[in-house]
Amino acid sequence: MTKVHFIAIGGSVMHQLAIALKIKGYAVSGSDDEIYEPALTNLRQAGILPASFGWDATRITPDIDAVILGMHAREDNPELIRARELNLKIYSFPEYIYQESKDKTRVAVGGSHGKTTTTAMIMHVLQHSQKQFDYLVGAKLEGFSQSVNITDAPVIVCEADEYPASVIEKRPKFHFLHPQIAVLTGIAWDHINVFPTYEIYKEQFAIFIRQMEAGAVLIYNSSDTELSDLVAAEGRHLKLVPYTMPIHMIRNGVTRVFFDEGYADLEVFGGHNLLNMHAAKLVCNELGLTDEEFLAGIATFKGAAKRLELIAKNERSAIYRDFAHAPSKVKATMEAVRQQYPDRQLIAVLELHTYSSLNADFLTQYEGAMAPADIAGVFYSKHALEIKRMPDLDPELVKSRFGRKDLHIFTDRPAFEAFLNAQQYNHTNLLLMSSGTYDGIDFNGLARLLDK
């Protein structure tokens, strides 16, 4: 029996891989200094929750076939040191995914934005078409019990992240997947703590393209001029498949998309989602599905968690939550809601939560991002700045960086909640954008705002 040990098993995708391998029949063990929900319950139910927290070199034995190293494990971790002493095979998460999928058709969805949604669309349609496939995605999806699945299926669909693979493997995760079919959704500078300049960031995508095998399929967003130039320079050895905005129409708040002779009325909306959908369709075509099969599946796609997620609505108003935090994502999400409901007022609040977004210099990238909103706000907590050991942000500086003097600034939850309670929501949409929680706000409880 294959024996696998996870160092830092409690990570959001790490614990999902551990559970997937347990289901596959592997002997799985793991360790971590702390494990939070939902990983704690998930691991306990799978029977692989560590008996105690902390690191213990005696857990590492010569009969272990693979050690998988999580992102927050440090180089002086005693279990990692012991594994090296025993010359065990040590993998980062994406390196191990490749080991498990060498004999599969590998699909990798990369880019600065839209990775999760595009991956989720492909998965949804493949499932609707009753195709067998494995997957790796960075969100909880309706209809899927896990976010990682490893079986004997002939295909694996992977969200391909550009963040470093592990503490001992600094290269981006997506460099290790070696796909036969790849998607690049666009390039917009992010993760400045890892890639301090845009050129360094862009080079990671150039490397990804160069590493693809001759004749592999690269599906890319040709409306992104930076990406198109990069593909033209680096992708001559590949089968290049460009995509742009598909033909569509919006009627009574519902978007209808057209591919070839067919169409589907969608449960999601927004130009960015239509671009993602076109990429997903082209992947499904490469995997043998017709446009008709794709349209039948995509018509029932409700979106990935926290991606334009509907919190509450009535006939006149709606509240949406979105994961958007990087400048390009914020702009795309704002434009989507504005275009879908042109006759409604838009109130939008962005939480600055990531290292990049809380950096005073990087904030210049957000200039004009909140322009589509009639009433706009920015939330950031002192606690988030303290955790990341960053200096305080002056509210006037934030207003200046966003290029909006009437921007509402909130630095604590009570002030933010008071603002929300004071607004009128008749013929109005509220859009909350963050990869965080606004210091623990009750999102489901916000439905009461529409009853005012």
Side-chain angles (χ1 to χ4, degrees), residues 1-6 14 16-28 65-68 89 91-107 133-136 148-158 176-178 180:
M1 180 185 289
T2 302
K3 292 189 68 174
V4 180
H5 180 78
F6 287 77
M14 282 285 280
Q16 292 280 318
L17 175 59
I19 292 168
L21 295 181
K22 175 74 184 303
I23 292 169
K24 191 176 180 180
Y26 291 6
V28 176
D65 298 292
V67 173
I68 304 177
K89 291 179 180 176
Y91 301 96
S92 64
F93 182 93
E95 287 176 300
Y96 190 78
I97 291 291
Y98 176 70
Q99 294 301 314
E100 286 284 344
S101 60
K102 278 182 175 178
D103 299 325
K104 303 177 189 290
T105 297
R106 294 177 298 281
V107 177
F133 65 99
D134 289 342
Y135 55 84
L136 156 62
V148 180
N149 201 39
I150 301 292
T151 67
D152 295 323
V155 172
I156 185 167
V157 181
C158 299
F176 297 97
L177 297 174
H178 308 294
Q180 296 96 328

Short mmCIF file of all heavy atoms in Angstrom, two decimals, residues 1-6 14 16-28 65-68 89 91-107 133-136 148-158 176-178 180:
data_model
loop_
_atom_site.label_atom_id
_atom_site.label_comp_id
_atom_site.label_asym_id
_atom_site.label_seq_id
_atom_site.Cartn_x
_atom_site.Cartn_y
_atom_site.Cartn_z
N MET A 1 0.85 -1.20 0.00
CA MET A 1 0.00 0.00 0.00
C MET A 1 0.88 1.26 0.00
O MET A 1 1.86 1.33 0.74
CB MET A 1 -0.90 0.02 1.25
CG MET A 1 -1.82 1.24 1.32
SD MET A 1 -2.76 1.32 2.85
CE MET A 1 -3.92 -0.01 2.61
N THR A 2 0.53 2.24 -0.83
CA THR A 2 1.27 3.50 -0.90
C THR A 2 1.08 4.29 0.39
O THR A 2 -0.05 4.50 0.84
CB THR A 2 0.80 4.34 -2.10
OG1 THR A 2 0.98 3.58 -3.30
CG2 THR A 2 1.57 5.64 -2.20
N LYS A 3 2.20 4.72 0.99
CA LYS A 3 2.15 5.50 2.23
C LYS A 3 2.56 6.94 1.95
O LYS A 3 3.62 7.19 1.37
CB LYS A 3 3.09 4.90 3.29
CG LYS A 3 2.65 3.55 3.81
CD LYS A 3 3.48 3.11 5.02
CE LYS A 3 3.21 3.97 6.24
NZ LYS A 3 3.90 3.46 7.46
N VAL A 4 1.71 7.88 2.36
CA VAL A 4 1.94 9.30 2.11
C VAL A 4 1.81 10.06 3.43
O VAL A 4 0.86 9.83 4.19
CB VAL A 4 0.94 9.85 1.08
CG1 VAL A 4 1.20 11.33 0.82
CG2 VAL A 4 1.01 9.08 -0.23
N HIS A 5 2.76 10.96 3.69
CA HIS A 5 2.70 11.79 4.89
C HIS A 5 2.64 13.27 4.48
O HIS A 5 3.45 13.72 3.66
CB HIS A 5 3.92 11.56 5.79
CG HIS A 5 3.90 12.40 7.04
ND1 HIS A 5 3.11 12.08 8.13
CD2 HIS A 5 4.54 13.55 7.36
CE1 HIS A 5 3.29 12.98 9.08
NE2 HIS A 5 4.15 13.90 8.63
N PHE A 6 1.71 14.00 5.08
CA PHE A 6 1.54 15.43 4.81
C PHE A 6 2.13 16.26 5.96
O PHE A 6 1.70 16.11 7.10
CB PHE A 6 0.06 15.78 4.68
CG PHE A 6 -0.58 15.31 3.41
CD1 PHE A 6 -0.93 13.96 3.24
CD2 PHE A 6 -0.85 16.18 2.38
CE1 PHE A 6 -1.53 13.52 2.08
CE2 PHE A 6 -1.44 15.75 1.21
CZ PHE A 6 -1.79 14.42 1.05
N MET A 14 -4.54 21.21 0.92
CA MET A 14 -3.73 20.08 1.40
C MET A 14 -4.61 19.02 2.03
O MET A 14 -4.47 17.82 1.74
CB MET A 14 -2.69 20.57 2.40
CG MET A 14 -1.48 21.24 1.78
SD MET A 14 -0.35 20.08 1.00
CE MET A 14 0.54 19.47 2.45
N GLN A 16 -7.69 18.48 1.58
CA GLN A 16 -8.55 17.88 0.58
C GLN A 16 -7.82 16.81 -0.24
O GLN A 16 -8.38 15.76 -0.55
CB GLN A 16 -9.08 18.97 -0.36
CG GLN A 16 -10.05 19.93 0.30
CD GLN A 16 -11.46 19.36 0.41
OE1 GLN A 16 -11.96 18.73 -0.52
NE2 GLN A 16 -12.10 19.57 1.54
N LEU A 17 -6.55 17.06 -0.56
CA LEU A 17 -5.75 16.05 -1.25
C LEU A 17 -5.56 14.83 -0.35
O LEU A 17 -5.64 13.68 -0.80
CB LEU A 17 -4.40 16.62 -1.66
CG LEU A 17 -3.41 15.63 -2.30
CD1 LEU A 17 -3.99 15.00 -3.55
CD2 LEU A 17 -2.08 16.32 -2.60
N ALA A 18 -5.29 15.08 0.94
CA ALA A 18 -5.11 13.97 1.89
C ALA A 18 -6.34 13.07 1.92
O ALA A 18 -6.25 11.84 1.89
CB ALA A 18 -4.81 14.51 3.29
N ILE A 19 -7.53 13.70 1.97
CA ILE A 19 -8.78 12.94 2.00
C ILE A 19 -8.97 12.17 0.69
O ILE A 19 -9.37 10.99 0.69
CB ILE A 19 -9.98 13.88 2.26
CG1 ILE A 19 -9.89 14.44 3.69
CG2 ILE A 19 -11.31 13.15 2.04
CD1 ILE A 19 -10.84 15.59 3.96
N ALA A 20 -8.65 12.81 -0.44
CA ALA A 20 -8.79 12.16 -1.75
C ALA A 20 -7.91 10.91 -1.84
O ALA A 20 -8.33 9.87 -2.36
CB ALA A 20 -8.44 13.14 -2.87
N LEU A 21 -6.68 11.01 -1.31
CA LEU A 21 -5.77 9.86 -1.36
C LEU A 21 -6.22 8.76 -0.41
O LEU A 21 -6.06 7.57 -0.70
CB LEU A 21 -4.34 10.30 -1.04
CG LEU A 21 -3.70 11.26 -2.05
CD1 LEU A 21 -2.27 11.60 -1.63
CD2 LEU A 21 -3.71 10.67 -3.46
N LYS A 22 -6.79 9.15 0.72
CA LYS A 22 -7.35 8.15 1.65
C LYS A 22 -8.49 7.38 0.96
O LYS A 22 -8.58 6.15 1.04
CB LYS A 22 -7.86 8.85 2.92
CG LYS A 22 -8.59 7.93 3.91
CD LYS A 22 -7.64 7.03 4.66
CE LYS A 22 -8.35 6.04 5.57
NZ LYS A 22 -9.23 6.63 6.57
N ILE A 23 -9.36 8.12 0.27
CA ILE A 23 -10.47 7.49 -0.45
C ILE A 23 -9.94 6.56 -1.54
O ILE A 23 -10.50 5.49 -1.80
CB ILE A 23 -11.40 8.56 -1.05
CG1 ILE A 23 -12.13 9.33 0.07
CG2 ILE A 23 -12.41 7.95 -2.02
CD1 ILE A 23 -12.86 10.57 -0.39
N LYS A 24 -8.81 6.94 -2.15
CA LYS A 24 -8.22 6.13 -3.22
C LYS A 24 -7.63 4.83 -2.67
O LYS A 24 -7.38 3.88 -3.42
CB LYS A 24 -7.15 6.94 -3.96
CG LYS A 24 -6.65 6.29 -5.23
CD LYS A 24 -5.66 7.17 -5.98
CE LYS A 24 -5.19 6.45 -7.25
NZ LYS A 24 -4.24 7.24 -8.04
N GLY A 25 -7.40 4.77 -1.35
CA GLY A 25 -6.89 3.55 -0.74
C GLY A 25 -5.47 3.65 -0.22
O GLY A 25 -4.88 2.65 0.20
N TYR A 26 -4.91 4.86 -0.22
CA TYR A 26 -3.55 5.05 0.31
C TYR A 26 -3.58 5.09 1.84
O TYR A 26 -4.59 5.43 2.46
CB TYR A 26 -2.95 6.35 -0.21
CG TYR A 26 -2.61 6.37 -1.69
CD1 TYR A 26 -2.95 5.31 -2.54
CD2 TYR A 26 -1.95 7.46 -2.24
CE1 TYR A 26 -2.64 5.34 -3.89
CE2 TYR A 26 -1.63 7.49 -3.60
CZ TYR A 26 -1.98 6.44 -4.41
OH TYR A 26 -1.67 6.47 -5.75
N ALA A 27 -2.42 4.78 2.45
CA ALA A 27 -2.23 4.99 3.89
C ALA A 27 -1.77 6.42 4.08
O ALA A 27 -0.68 6.79 3.64
CB ALA A 27 -1.20 4.01 4.43
N VAL A 28 -2.59 7.24 4.71
CA VAL A 28 -2.33 8.68 4.81
C VAL A 28 -2.12 9.07 6.26
O VAL A 28 -2.89 8.70 7.15
CB VAL A 28 -3.51 9.49 4.21
CG1 VAL A 28 -3.27 10.99 4.40
CG2 VAL A 28 -3.69 9.16 2.74
N ASP A 65 6.38 6.47 1.23
CA ASP A 65 6.64 6.58 -0.21
C ASP A 65 6.74 8.03 -0.68
O ASP A 65 7.44 8.33 -1.66
CB ASP A 65 5.54 5.87 -1.01
CG ASP A 65 5.50 4.38 -0.71
OD1 ASP A 65 6.45 3.69 -1.09
OD2 ASP A 65 4.53 3.93 -0.08
N ALA A 66 6.01 8.92 -0.02
CA ALA A 66 6.02 10.33 -0.44
C ALA A 66 5.70 11.22 0.75
O ALA A 66 4.79 10.93 1.54
CB ALA A 66 5.00 10.56 -1.55
N VAL A 67 6.45 12.31 0.86
CA VAL A 67 6.17 13.37 1.84
C VAL A 67 5.69 14.58 1.05
O VAL A 67 6.37 15.03 0.12
CB VAL A 67 7.42 13.72 2.66
CG1 VAL A 67 7.15 14.94 3.54
CG2 VAL A 67 7.85 12.54 3.51
N ILE A 68 4.53 15.10 1.42
CA ILE A 68 3.97 16.27 0.72
C ILE A 68 4.05 17.46 1.66
O ILE A 68 3.54 17.41 2.79
CB ILE A 68 2.52 16.00 0.27
CG1 ILE A 68 2.48 14.74 -0.61
CG2 ILE A 68 1.98 17.20 -0.51
CD1 ILE A 68 1.10 14.33 -1.05
N LYS A 89 11.22 10.83 -0.83
CA LYS A 89 10.75 11.70 -1.90
C LYS A 89 9.86 12.78 -1.29
O LYS A 89 8.85 12.47 -0.65
CB LYS A 89 9.98 10.89 -2.94
CG LYS A 89 10.87 9.94 -3.74
CD LYS A 89 10.06 9.14 -4.75
CE LYS A 89 10.96 8.20 -5.54
NZ LYS A 89 10.19 7.33 -6.46
N TYR A 91 7.64 16.24 -2.00
CA TYR A 91 6.95 16.95 -3.07
C TYR A 91 6.22 18.16 -2.52
O TYR A 91 5.68 18.12 -1.41
CB TYR A 91 5.90 16.05 -3.73
CG TYR A 91 6.41 14.78 -4.34
CD1 TYR A 91 6.36 13.57 -3.61
CD2 TYR A 91 6.92 14.74 -5.64
CE1 TYR A 91 6.80 12.38 -4.18
CE2 TYR A 91 7.36 13.55 -6.21
CZ TYR A 91 7.31 12.38 -5.47
OH TYR A 91 7.75 11.20 -6.03
N SER A 92 6.17 19.23 -3.30
CA SER A 92 5.19 20.27 -3.05
C SER A 92 3.84 19.76 -3.56
O SER A 92 3.77 18.75 -4.26
CB SER A 92 5.56 21.56 -3.78
OG SER A 92 5.52 21.35 -5.19
N PHE A 93 2.79 20.45 -3.22
CA PHE A 93 1.45 20.04 -3.64
C PHE A 93 1.36 19.84 -5.16
O PHE A 93 0.93 18.77 -5.62
CB PHE A 93 0.42 21.08 -3.17
CG PHE A 93 -1.00 20.75 -3.49
CD1 PHE A 93 -1.80 20.08 -2.59
CD2 PHE A 93 -1.55 21.11 -4.72
CE1 PHE A 93 -3.12 19.76 -2.90
CE2 PHE A 93 -2.85 20.79 -5.04
CZ PHE A 93 -3.64 20.13 -4.12
N PRO A 94 1.74 20.84 -5.98
CA PRO A 94 1.58 20.64 -7.44
C PRO A 94 2.51 19.57 -8.00
O PRO A 94 2.15 18.88 -8.96
CB PRO A 94 1.90 22.02 -8.03
CG PRO A 94 2.73 22.69 -7.00
CD PRO A 94 2.21 22.20 -5.68
N GLU A 95 3.70 19.42 -7.42
CA GLU A 95 4.60 18.36 -7.88
C GLU A 95 3.95 16.99 -7.67
O GLU A 95 4.06 16.10 -8.52
CB GLU A 95 5.92 18.41 -7.11
CG GLU A 95 6.83 19.56 -7.49
CD GLU A 95 8.07 19.61 -6.62
OE1 GLU A 95 7.93 19.76 -5.39
OE2 GLU A 95 9.18 19.50 -7.17
N TYR A 96 3.26 16.84 -6.55
CA TYR A 96 2.62 15.55 -6.29
C TYR A 96 1.41 15.33 -7.19
O TYR A 96 1.17 14.22 -7.66
CB TYR A 96 2.22 15.41 -4.82
CG TYR A 96 1.79 14.00 -4.52
CD1 TYR A 96 2.74 12.99 -4.34
CD2 TYR A 96 0.45 13.65 -4.48
CE1 TYR A 96 2.36 11.67 -4.13
CE2 TYR A 96 0.05 12.34 -4.27
CZ TYR A 96 1.02 11.35 -4.09
OH TYR A 96 0.63 10.05 -3.90
N ILE A 97 0.66 16.40 -7.44
CA ILE A 97 -0.47 16.28 -8.37
C ILE A 97 0.02 15.76 -9.72
O ILE A 97 -0.61 14.89 -10.34
CB ILE A 97 -1.20 17.64 -8.54
CG1 ILE A 97 -1.92 18.03 -7.25
CG2 ILE A 97 -2.17 17.60 -9.73
CD1 ILE A 97 -3.11 17.18 -6.89
N TYR A 98 1.16 16.27 -10.18
CA TYR A 98 1.71 15.79 -11.45
C TYR A 98 2.07 14.31 -11.38
O TYR A 98 1.81 13.55 -12.32
CB TYR A 98 2.93 16.61 -11.85
CG TYR A 98 3.59 16.11 -13.11
CD1 TYR A 98 2.96 16.25 -14.35
CD2 TYR A 98 4.81 15.44 -13.07
CE1 TYR A 98 3.54 15.77 -15.51
CE2 TYR A 98 5.40 14.94 -14.22
CZ TYR A 98 4.75 15.10 -15.44
OH TYR A 98 5.32 14.60 -16.57
N GLN A 99 2.67 13.88 -10.26
CA GLN A 99 3.02 12.46 -10.11
C GLN A 99 1.79 11.58 -10.23
O GLN A 99 1.85 10.48 -10.80
CB GLN A 99 3.70 12.23 -8.75
CG GLN A 99 5.05 12.90 -8.59
CD GLN A 99 6.05 12.45 -9.63
OE1 GLN A 99 6.20 11.27 -9.91
NE2 GLN A 99 6.76 13.42 -10.23
N GLU A 100 0.67 12.04 -9.70
CA GLU A 100 -0.57 11.26 -9.74
C GLU A 100 -1.28 11.34 -11.10
O GLU A 100 -2.25 10.61 -11.32
CB GLU A 100 -1.53 11.74 -8.64
CG GLU A 100 -1.13 11.31 -7.24
CD GLU A 100 -1.44 9.84 -6.96
OE1 GLU A 100 -2.23 9.24 -7.71
OE2 GLU A 100 -0.88 9.29 -5.99
N SER A 101 -0.83 12.24 -11.98
CA SER A 101 -1.57 12.45 -13.23
C SER A 101 -0.70 12.32 -14.47
O SER A 101 -1.07 12.79 -15.54
CB SER A 101 -2.23 13.84 -13.21
OG SER A 101 -1.26 14.86 -13.07
N LYS A 102 0.46 11.67 -14.33
CA LYS A 102 1.37 11.53 -15.48
C LYS A 102 0.71 10.84 -16.67
O LYS A 102 1.04 11.12 -17.82
CB LYS A 102 2.60 10.72 -15.05
CG LYS A 102 3.66 11.53 -14.34
CD LYS A 102 4.85 10.64 -14.02
CE LYS A 102 5.98 11.45 -13.41
NZ LYS A 102 7.13 10.59 -13.04
N ASP A 103 -0.20 9.91 -16.39
CA ASP A 103 -0.83 9.14 -17.47
C ASP A 103 -2.20 9.68 -17.86
O ASP A 103 -2.94 9.02 -18.59
CB ASP A 103 -0.95 7.67 -17.04
CG ASP A 103 0.41 7.04 -16.76
OD1 ASP A 103 1.37 7.39 -17.47
OD2 ASP A 103 0.49 6.20 -15.84
N LYS A 104 -2.56 10.86 -17.37
CA LYS A 104 -3.86 11.46 -17.67
C LYS A 104 -3.71 12.59 -18.69
O LYS A 104 -2.61 13.11 -18.91
CB LYS A 104 -4.49 12.05 -16.40
CG LYS A 104 -4.69 11.06 -15.25
CD LYS A 104 -5.26 11.79 -14.04
CE LYS A 104 -5.27 10.89 -12.80
NZ LYS A 104 -6.25 9.81 -12.90
N THR A 105 -4.80 13.00 -19.28
CA THR A 105 -4.86 14.26 -20.01
C THR A 105 -4.99 15.37 -18.97
O THR A 105 -5.97 15.39 -18.21
CB THR A 105 -6.06 14.30 -20.98
OG1 THR A 105 -5.89 13.27 -21.95
CG2 THR A 105 -6.14 15.64 -21.68
N ARG A 106 -4.01 16.26 -18.93
CA ARG A 106 -3.99 17.30 -17.90
C ARG A 106 -4.46 18.64 -18.48
O ARG A 106 -3.92 19.13 -19.48
CB ARG A 106 -2.57 17.45 -17.33
CG ARG A 106 -2.10 16.22 -16.57
CD ARG A 106 -0.66 16.38 -16.08
NE ARG A 106 0.28 16.55 -17.19
CZ ARG A 106 0.74 15.55 -17.96
NH1 ARG A 106 0.34 14.30 -17.74
NH2 ARG A 106 1.57 15.80 -18.95
N VAL A 107 -5.47 19.21 -17.84
CA VAL A 107 -5.98 20.53 -18.20
C VAL A 107 -5.58 21.48 -17.07
O VAL A 107 -5.85 21.20 -15.90
CB VAL A 107 -7.52 20.52 -18.35
CG1 VAL A 107 -8.04 21.92 -18.65
CG2 VAL A 107 -7.95 19.53 -19.43
N PHE A 133 -13.60 12.27 -14.53
CA PHE A 133 -12.43 13.16 -14.47
C PHE A 133 -12.03 13.43 -13.03
O PHE A 133 -12.86 13.32 -12.11
CB PHE A 133 -12.73 14.49 -15.18
CG PHE A 133 -13.80 15.33 -14.50
CD1 PHE A 133 -13.47 16.38 -13.66
CD2 PHE A 133 -15.15 15.04 -14.71
CE1 PHE A 133 -14.46 17.14 -13.04
CE2 PHE A 133 -16.15 15.79 -14.09
CZ PHE A 133 -15.79 16.85 -13.26
N ASP A 134 -10.76 13.72 -12.84
CA ASP A 134 -10.25 14.20 -11.56
C ASP A 134 -10.18 15.72 -11.59
O ASP A 134 -10.29 16.34 -12.66
CB ASP A 134 -8.86 13.62 -11.29
CG ASP A 134 -8.90 12.13 -10.98
OD1 ASP A 134 -9.98 11.63 -10.64
OD2 ASP A 134 -7.84 11.49 -11.08
N TYR A 135 -9.95 16.32 -10.42
CA TYR A 135 -9.95 17.79 -10.42
C TYR A 135 -9.21 18.34 -9.20
O TYR A 135 -9.02 17.66 -8.19
CB TYR A 135 -11.38 18.33 -10.46
CG TYR A 135 -12.28 17.80 -9.36
CD1 TYR A 135 -12.30 18.37 -8.09
CD2 TYR A 135 -13.12 16.71 -9.59
CE1 TYR A 135 -13.11 17.88 -7.09
CE2 TYR A 135 -13.95 16.22 -8.60
CZ TYR A 135 -13.95 16.81 -7.35
OH TYR A 135 -14.75 16.32 -6.36
N LEU A 136 -8.85 19.61 -9.36
CA LEU A 136 -8.22 20.40 -8.30
C LEU A 136 -8.72 21.83 -8.49
O LEU A 136 -8.46 22.44 -9.53
CB LEU A 136 -6.70 20.34 -8.42
CG LEU A 136 -5.87 21.47 -7.81
CD1 LEU A 136 -6.08 21.54 -6.32
CD2 LEU A 136 -4.40 21.29 -8.14
N VAL A 148 -10.63 18.57 -4.22
CA VAL A 148 -9.59 17.78 -4.88
C VAL A 148 -10.11 16.35 -5.02
O VAL A 148 -10.67 15.80 -4.07
CB VAL A 148 -8.28 17.76 -4.05
CG1 VAL A 148 -7.22 16.92 -4.78
CG2 VAL A 148 -7.76 19.17 -3.79
N ASN A 149 -9.92 15.77 -6.19
CA ASN A 149 -10.31 14.37 -6.38
C ASN A 149 -9.24 13.68 -7.21
O ASN A 149 -8.85 14.16 -8.27
CB ASN A 149 -11.66 14.26 -7.07
CG ASN A 149 -12.32 12.92 -6.84
OD1 ASN A 149 -12.23 12.37 -5.74
ND2 ASN A 149 -12.96 12.37 -7.85
N ILE A 150 -8.73 12.55 -6.72
CA ILE A 150 -7.70 11.76 -7.41
C ILE A 150 -8.19 10.32 -7.51
O ILE A 150 -8.33 9.64 -6.50
CB ILE A 150 -6.35 11.80 -6.66
CG1 ILE A 150 -5.85 13.24 -6.51
CG2 ILE A 150 -5.31 10.95 -7.39
CD1 ILE A 150 -5.45 13.92 -7.79
N THR A 151 -8.49 9.88 -8.73
CA THR A 151 -8.95 8.51 -8.96
C THR A 151 -8.15 7.94 -10.14
O THR A 151 -7.07 8.41 -10.44
CB THR A 151 -10.46 8.49 -9.27
OG1 THR A 151 -10.68 9.13 -10.54
CG2 THR A 151 -11.26 9.22 -8.20
N ASP A 152 -8.73 6.98 -10.82
CA ASP A 152 -8.11 6.44 -12.03
C ASP A 152 -8.73 7.03 -13.29
O ASP A 152 -8.58 6.46 -14.38
CB ASP A 152 -8.26 4.91 -12.04
CG ASP A 152 -7.48 4.26 -10.90
OD1 ASP A 152 -6.38 4.77 -10.59
OD2 ASP A 152 -7.97 3.28 -10.32
N ALA A 153 -9.41 8.16 -13.18
CA ALA A 153 -10.05 8.81 -14.33
C ALA A 153 -8.99 9.22 -15.37
O ALA A 153 -7.84 9.50 -15.01
CB ALA A 153 -10.84 10.03 -13.88
N PRO A 154 -9.36 9.30 -16.64
CA PRO A 154 -8.38 9.60 -17.69
C PRO A 154 -8.02 11.07 -17.84
O PRO A 154 -7.08 11.41 -18.57
CB PRO A 154 -9.09 9.10 -18.96
CG PRO A 154 -10.55 9.24 -18.66
CD PRO A 154 -10.69 8.95 -17.19
N VAL A 155 -8.77 11.96 -17.17
CA VAL A 155 -8.57 13.41 -17.32
C VAL A 155 -8.48 14.03 -15.94
O VAL A 155 -9.15 13.60 -15.00
CB VAL A 155 -9.77 14.03 -18.09
CG1 VAL A 155 -9.69 15.56 -18.09
CG2 VAL A 155 -9.84 13.50 -19.51
N ILE A 156 -7.64 15.08 -15.79
CA ILE A 156 -7.64 15.90 -14.57
C ILE A 156 -7.72 17.36 -14.97
O ILE A 156 -7.03 17.81 -15.89
CB ILE A 156 -6.41 15.63 -13.67
CG1 ILE A 156 -6.53 16.41 -12.35
CG2 ILE A 156 -5.10 15.95 -14.39
CD1 ILE A 156 -5.54 15.99 -11.28
N VAL A 157 -8.60 18.10 -14.30
CA VAL A 157 -8.80 19.53 -14.55
C VAL A 157 -8.29 20.28 -13.33
O VAL A 157 -8.77 20.07 -12.22
CB VAL A 157 -10.30 19.85 -14.78
CG1 VAL A 157 -10.48 21.33 -15.05
CG2 VAL A 157 -10.85 19.01 -15.94
N CYS A 158 -7.29 21.15 -13.53
CA CYS A 158 -6.61 21.81 -12.41
C CYS A 158 -6.69 23.32 -12.51
O CYS A 158 -6.38 23.91 -13.56
CB CYS A 158 -5.12 21.44 -12.38
SG CYS A 158 -4.78 19.70 -12.17
N PHE A 176 4.53 23.22 -12.58
CA PHE A 176 4.75 21.79 -12.34
C PHE A 176 3.68 20.89 -12.94
O PHE A 176 3.78 19.68 -12.85
CB PHE A 176 4.84 21.52 -10.83
CG PHE A 176 6.00 22.21 -10.18
CD1 PHE A 176 5.84 23.43 -9.55
CD2 PHE A 176 7.27 21.65 -10.24
CE1 PHE A 176 6.92 24.08 -8.97
CE2 PHE A 176 8.36 22.30 -9.65
CZ PHE A 176 8.18 23.51 -9.02
N LEU A 177 2.67 21.48 -13.56
CA LEU A 177 1.53 20.67 -14.00
C LEU A 177 1.70 20.12 -15.41
O LEU A 177 1.08 19.11 -15.76
CB LEU A 177 0.24 21.50 -13.91
CG LEU A 177 -0.14 21.94 -12.49
CD1 LEU A 177 -1.34 22.87 -12.52
CD2 LEU A 177 -0.43 20.73 -11.61
N HIS A 178 2.48 20.79 -16.27
CA HIS A 178 2.79 20.30 -17.63
C HIS A 178 1.54 19.84 -18.38
O HIS A 178 1.42 18.67 -18.76
CB HIS A 178 3.82 19.17 -17.57
CG HIS A 178 5.05 19.54 -16.78
ND1 HIS A 178 5.94 20.51 -17.19
CD2 HIS A 178 5.51 19.08 -15.59
CE1 HIS A 178 6.91 20.62 -16.29
NE2 HIS A 178 6.67 19.77 -15.31
N GLN A 180 -1.43 19.23 -21.23
CA GLN A 180 -1.61 19.08 -22.68
C GLN A 180 -2.64 20.10 -23.20
O GLN A 180 -2.63 20.44 -24.38
CB GLN A 180 -2.10 17.68 -23.03
CG GLN A 180 -1.11 16.57 -22.70
CD GLN A 180 -1.40 15.93 -21.35
OE1 GLN A 180 -1.88 16.58 -20.42
NE2 GLN A 180 -1.11 14.64 -21.23
#
